[in-house]
Amino acid sequence: MELQPEDSQVGSQPTDLPPCQQVEGNCERRNGRLWKVYMDYNATTPLEPEVIEAVTQAMRGAWGNPSSSYTAGRKAKDVISAARDALARVVGGEPQDIIFTSGGTESNNLVIHSAVKHFYKSQTSNGLAVEQQGAEGARPHLVTCTVEHDSIRLPLERLAEERVAAVTFVPVSKVSGRAEAEDVLAAVRPATCLVTIMLANNETGVIMPVPEISQCIKALNQTRAAAGLPRVLLHTDAAQALGKRRVDVEELGVDFLTLVGHKFYGPRIGALYVRGLGKLTPLYPMLFGGGQERNFRPGTENTPMIAGLGKAAELVTQNCEAYEAHMRDVRDYLEERLEAEFGKRLHLNSRFPGTERLPNTCNFSIRGHHLRGAAMLAQCRTLLASVGAACHSDQGDRPSPVLLSCGIPFDVARNALRLSVGRGTTRAEVDLIVQDLKQAVAQLEGQA
């Protein structure tokens, strides 16, 4: 493979996969030209060429207001309908259960907001069963885990601070890195209205046991209904999972599922799946306006971005197995090369015995007092990666709270790097960045 210069696309594509556009950034100089390898696909992905084409076509031909009856408006409405169908297919749901949003943060907040509002409405209309069982002032209670994305953690913390709701953050197992089903179930109270557990962690790649949690909650809800207690709704943030593994709402058994376009080579908008939207599962709007998205998410639809999201979903439906197999092969090769180069100094932070993880994610540390993650990245000439979640990039040398929650020792977690490979990442690129890491270690230890 021949690496590409700064003004070209980075990396080569395997012949059995659709090509994907690559990215640019800080680079290594070779013969006066700049080079780089991007391995931060859990932070964001570039748009597939087919997605760019879908967006462009919608901008040109579907520019009308989707609520209008003339030709351009009807075309825009058709584009949105087709995209909704594509999103439903990729998660095994029904088109009428898909709502388009601005992104994962809005989708997650919408679920939390809806669960709390539904609790209060239900208590007003259904009596005092929760109060009679000693719930804390009949405030709604929500359950999550300690390694959730900030778009879950922060709104829940705010609700707790304002005493609008009570929240339990279930610790993940230090053995498995997962939020275990029995621990989640043990946290449920009479006033619990929502359990929200991510499908895959963005830093470790650990897959959470959402189907098992769903089965437990389904059985629990049967006994709660007989006691007059509110139904516990289940949400999963599938932002990191879609496009890397199979995601099926029937297998997962969830009431809500969050989708984020820019994690699977689509545009920076999102969607929310709601099982039996407005009938089986309640959803309350946070915005009020012109009635779009059946009043659940009003505002004139962003037709071009929705078209791109639909195309990205279509590509995942067609190619998910090939994407997954390729990323797992490259990720496994990456870990083999790291182990061969750094030996016992290497700690694979994302590898928990018996725990399934995303096929593309490798979180690791190279032991050494001067080899903190941020310092390593600063010395790398070729590698573009991160020390953890992109939304925590301002934490400096502070270890990732996610890794600490998973039982990774403080000194090891402080040295962590997260590498996440993509659809077009090659073994030759892995070889290059391993050598880049080797020179970074030599530089840092030479300066000590």
Side-chain angles (χ1 to χ4, degrees):
M1 181 206 74
E2 181 180 349
L3 293 178
Q4 305 297 317
E6 183 185 24
D7 56 355
S8 302
Q9 295 178 350
V10 180
S12 62
Q13 312 304 322
T15 56
D16 59 337
L17 293 177
C20 63
Q21 185 176 357
Q22 300 296 308
V23 299
E24 300 180 357
N26 296 321
C27 311
E28 175 189 3
R29 280 196 180 274
R30 286 190 178 184
N31 301 321
R33 306 187 78 182
L34 298 177
W35 307 77
K36 67 280 183 186
V37 175
Y38 181 76
M39 286 197 180
D40 205 16
Y41 289 91
N42 283 5
T44 197
T45 57
L47 297 179
E48 287 277 15
E50 295 95 328
V51 171
I52 295 173
E53 180 61 24
V55 171
T56 302
Q57 287 182 359
M59 285 180 168
R60 288 173 176 161
W63 51 267
N65 190 315
S67 299
S68 300
S69 60
Y70 43 76
T71 302
R74 291 197 304 271
K75 190 165 186 178
K77 188 174 182 179
D78 289 344
V79 167
I80 293 169
S81 178
R84 202 184 310 275
D85 289 346
L87 264 293
R89 279 194 300 274
V90 81
V91 298
E94 297 296 329
Q96 63 267 25
D97 292 341
I98 299 292
I99 292 291
F100 293 110
T101 68
S102 63
T105 295
E106 182 186 340
S107 294
N108 289 344
N109 277 262
L110 183 56
V111 169
I112 292 168
H113 165 86
S114 293
V116 169
K117 187 164 185 176
H118 185 66
F119 176 91
Y120 282 117
K121 278 183 169 287
S122 298
Q123 289 310 296
T124 300
S125 59
N126 295 340
L128 302 175
V130 173
E131 286 185 343
Q132 291 168 355
Q133 297 207 26
E136 194 178 327
R139 281 190 296 155
H141 174 244
L142 301 91
V143 177
T144 189
C145 73
T146 54
V147 299
E148 291 290 324
H149 189 270
D150 279 358
S151 59
I152 292 290
R153 180 180 63 84
L154 292 177
L156 290 179
E157 287 180 349
R158 176 63 64 87
L159 287 174
E161 289 170 3
E162 296 177 350
R163 299 187 63 79
V164 174
V167 181
T168 298
F169 290 86
V170 175
V172 295
S173 166
K174 291 178 170 54
V175 175
S176 67
R178 310 191 313 172
E180 299 294 358
E182 57 266 28
D183 296 329
V184 172
L185 197 65
V188 173
R189 305 174 186 174
T192 302
C193 60
L194 179 70
V195 170
T196 174
I197 302 292
M198 65 189 350
L199 185 51
N201 185 263
N202 48 311
E203 293 192 39
T204 63
V206 164
I207 306 297
M208 300 293 175
V210 174
E212 186 180 346
I213 293 169
S214 170
Q215 291 171 7
C216 293
I217 290 177
K218 183 178 180 181
L220 179 64
N221 277 334
Q222 292 178 349
T223 62
R224 288 171 67 91
L229 294 174
R231 172 184 164 205
V232 178
L233 299 167
L234 178 60
H235 166 247
T236 191
D237 181 348
Q240 287 296 338
L242 189 67
K244 301 165 189 168
R245 71 188 307 273
R246 177 179 169 83
V247 174
D248 187 288
V249 294
E250 294 305 319
E251 293 177 2
L252 294 171
V254 294
D255 300 298
F256 304 98
L257 184 140
T258 293
L259 300 168
V260 180
H262 75 101
K263 304 295 187 181
F264 59 98
Y265 293 74
R268 289 179 181 170
I269 64 166
L272 179 66
Y273 163 82
V274 185
R275 183 182 298 276
L277 174 60
K279 297 177 182 178
L280 294 177
T281 306
L283 191 72
Y284 296 89
M286 292 192 297
L287 306 175
F288 298 89
Q292 294 85 356
E293 292 297 283
R294 291 158 285 169
N295 276 317
F296 292 111
R297 205 287 182 179
T300 304
E301 299 91 338
N302 190 344
T303 306
M305 295 302 105
I306 290 174
L309 187 66
K311 175 56 69 173
E314 182 183 319
L315 292 173
V316 170
T317 299
Q318 295 169 353
N319 302 294
C320 189
E321 289 184 5
Y323 294 154
E324 182 177 1
H326 172 73
M327 288 187 283
R328 178 173 286 107
D329 175 76
V330 176
R331 191 276 312 277
D332 289 350
Y333 179 69
L334 167 63
E335 293 184 349
E336 290 170 9
R337 290 286 291 109
L338 289 170
E339 287 176 317
E341 189 62 53
F342 300 107
K344 294 182 178 180
R345 301 184 68 183
L346 182 76
H347 188 277
L348 293 170
N349 304 320
S350 53
R351 188 183 286 180
F352 295 87
T355 297
E356 184 184 1
R357 55 183 172 140
L358 293 175
N360 79 319
T361 305
C362 172
N363 193 307
F364 67 95
S365 300
I366 302 170
R367 291 182 176 90
H369 182 68
H370 302 286
L371 305 183
R372 296 180 183 178
M376 285 282 289
L377 288 179
Q379 287 294 330
C380 284
R381 301 169 182 170
T382 306
L383 173 64
L384 300 176
S386 65
V387 297
C391 52
H392 295 157
S393 60
D394 60 348
Q395 288 189 346
D397 284 340
R398 285 180 289 172
S400 160
V402 167
L403 295 184
L404 295 178
S405 295
C406 293
I408 305 300
F410 184 95
D411 288 344
V412 176
R414 192 165 53 182
N415 288 12
L417 293 174
R418 181 192 68 180
L419 272 57
S420 47
V421 305
R423 299 172 184 177
T425 308
T426 66
R427 288 187 170 211
E429 289 174 336
V430 168
D431 291 336
L432 185 68
I433 66 97
V434 170
Q435 289 305 307
D436 194 27
L437 289 167
K438 183 180 178 181
Q439 70 79 27
V441 168
Q443 286 283 343
L444 289 170
E445 293 186 331
Q447 295 170 6

